[in-house]
Amino acid sequence: MGERPVATLDILQQVVKASPFTDWTGCEVTRCDSGVAELRLPFKKELTQHHGFVHGGVIGFLSDNVSAWAAASVVGDVVTADYSVKLLSPGIGEEFIARGEVVKANKRLVAVESKVYALKEGQKKLVAMGTATILPV
Amino acid sequence: MGERPVATLDILQQVVKASPFTDWTGCEVTRCDSGVAELRLPFKKELTQHHGFVHGGVIGFLSDNVSAWAAASVVGDVVTADYSVKLLSPGIGEEFIARGEVVKANKRLVAVESKVYALKEGQKKLVAMGTATILPV
Amino acid sequence: MGERPVATLDILQQVVKASPFTDWTGCEVTRCDSGVAELRLPFKKELTQHHGFVHGGVIGFLSDNVSAWAAASVVGDVVTADYSVKLLSPGIGEEFIARGEVVKANKRLVAVESKVYALKEGQKKLVAMGTATILPV
Amino acid sequence: MGERPVATLDILQQVVKASPFTDWTGCEVTRCDSGVAELRLPFKKELTQHHGFVHGGVIGFLSDNVSAWAAASVVGDVVTADYSVKLLSPGIGEEFIARGEVVKANKRLVAVESKVYALKEGQKKLVAMGTATILPV
């Protein structure tokens, strides 16, 4: 897989700016190398559901993004085949961070694990765990 | 489970209005009864990724919403424990519709299947299939 | 995908005989064409867990098998990339049947839905629902 | 959750002996405490599919078992609501080991991650990764 250009932090920061939805959420990629990607998302009210928590669909989106980026750091351009997320705690916090890590990559697909955390008053709480299958394109 | 008030179309339309993220997306609930919920989402550029397709995280959000609503039509207030989505085609279309259907409900949890379709020039194309586990609260 | 020989009922019945685990369980393929596969499994005590129900891992195996076979009826030789199963009722019955149906197939992967049912005293009960991603090889 | 008796290695070894399917496979629990469970399974031909690899359904069964046991070490008696497994490498080896670890537990459900490895000529290779939702009963 070494012949394909892989994603880097610089490249992904450009991609995020060119991605209207990701950019609108305020999601920022903070790491992308060696099969690991990380992001942060500041809380904003527009991301919440009717109880005031960040919507589970947004948490899943973070998991999807960080998984695709982790895969892209190994295999270059990718598309998500599937992602799955367990919502473990309500999305309450001033900021959310997510980390995706490639578990296995080959020419056909990349398996990724992810975690999403909420930061609230200096505490970091696990909000979701996810898995994804990402395809090189 | 008959003693709990279940969700109806009227109730959910109020919930959507009170849910900043769902409301922002433009997502509209169009059916909610008897274990089935349906929604529509008009395309807007703010929902896309860098190739101009609706972001997979938004597709997953539709699957999550419609699954939770289908469950709520049977058991009342709910929270999503997990959802899983397979992205089968790019999110290209003027409008997206999603349908969730309860497969099994008991006091502890509700299993739901969902499909998301894109409408483009009069054609309906399957974009995603999903499953979810929804908890009565 | 038309150039690859696809699986048929005859072929799969030979494959099952050549598959020691599937053969040991007593699992029998009863349909395999047009993106649909079905199987039956008579109850036997060796398949149970400590409460006397058929083990959830065996139910998942049925889901995996029938999903791979449904895919093989469309694309020929396959391997399972992932499968996911929701266990909806205890595995109680004289016989189990499962059905897998291809939702979407392309050159890279096949998405399949499956259901597993228990037959008990003339009643058919849904025991599990599953999804799988199957790869052409 | 402290009032319920939790599973221990001793208890689970008895449960395995009383579980015809698990016992037939040769699967042996080797650790069960503090939210972690581990097992080993020696290769035998009866567990294979038609290419001679251990059947993916058996790999999924290992993931299911070790996940349920990890949960039982925290909350006592359990039942599996769902499990999901990504098959990352063929099941080739003299022995298989699996490890499940509780990510989050509450009164309603327990989220578990698992890995399955093959041991072959002194090498340990990742064969599968899984997640499961386990319910206290």
Side-chain angles (χ1 to χ4, degrees), chain A residues 4 28 40 47 61 82-83 91:
Chain A
R4 296 162 47 100
E28 180 191 352
R40 63 186 289 277
L47 298 172
F61 149 80
D82 63 67
Y83 69 95

Side-chain angles (χ1 to χ4, degrees), chain C residues 104-116:
Chain C
K104 170 111 184 185
N106 61 35
K107 264 178 290 187
R108 301 195 59 176
L109 49 81
V110 186
V112 187
E113 285 183 339
S114 61
K115 298 279 191 305
V116 183

Side-chain angles (χ1 to χ4, degrees), chain A residues 47-116:
Chain A
L47 298 172
T48 59
Q49 34 83 296
H50 58 297
H51 295 306
F53 311 147
V54 169
H55 195 290
V58 175
I59 301 297
F61 149 80
L62 297 181
S63 177
D64 173 21
N65 257 0
V66 87
S67 297
W69 297 343
S73 79
V74 177
V75 298
D77 281 350
V78 294
V79 62
T80 301
D82 63 67
Y83 69 95
S84 182
V85 62
K86 293 192 189 292
L87 302 170
L88 304 172
S89 301
I92 303 172
E94 302 107 25
E95 184 176 318
F96 296 82
I97 58 175
R99 178 190 167 90
E101 185 164 357
V102 171
V103 176
K104 169 112 184 184
N106 61 34
K107 266 178 289 186
R108 301 196 58 176
L109 49 81
V110 184
V112 186
E113 285 182 339
S114 62
K115 297 278 192 305
V116 182

Side-chain angles (χ1 to χ4, degrees), chain B residues 82 84 86 88-89 103-104 106 111-115 125-126 129 131-133, chain C residues 82 84 86 88-89 103-104 106 111-115 125-126 129 131-133:
Chain B
D82 62 68
S84 182
K86 294 193 188 290
L88 304 173
S89 301
V103 175
K104 168 112 186 184
N106 62 34
V112 187
E113 285 182 339
S114 62
K115 298 280 191 304
K125 187 172 187 178
L126 183 65
M129 58 185 271
T131 59
T133 299
Chain C
D82 62 67
S84 181
K86 294 192 187 291
L88 304 173
S89 300
V103 176
K104 170 111 184 185
N106 61 35
V112 187
E113 285 183 339
S114 61
K115 298 279 191 305
K125 188 172 188 177
L126 183 64
M129 59 185 269
T131 60
T133 299

Side-chain angles (χ1 to χ4, degrees), chain D residues 85-137:
Chain D
V85 61
K86 293 192 189 291
L87 301 169
L88 304 173
S89 300
I92 303 172
E94 302 106 25
E95 184 175 318
F96 296 82
I97 58 175
R99 176 189 168 90
E101 185 162 358
V102 170
V103 175
K104 169 110 183 184
N106 61 35
K107 265 178 289 186
R108 302 195 59 175
L109 49 80
V110 186
V112 187
E113 285 182 339
S114 60
K115 297 279 191 306
V116 183
Y117 301 89
L119 301 180
K120 184 165 185 293
E121 295 167 9
Q123 301 283 350
K124 184 179 168 183
K125 187 172 187 176
L126 182 65
V127 167
M129 60 185 268
T131 59
T133 299
I134 311 289
L135 307 180
V137 288

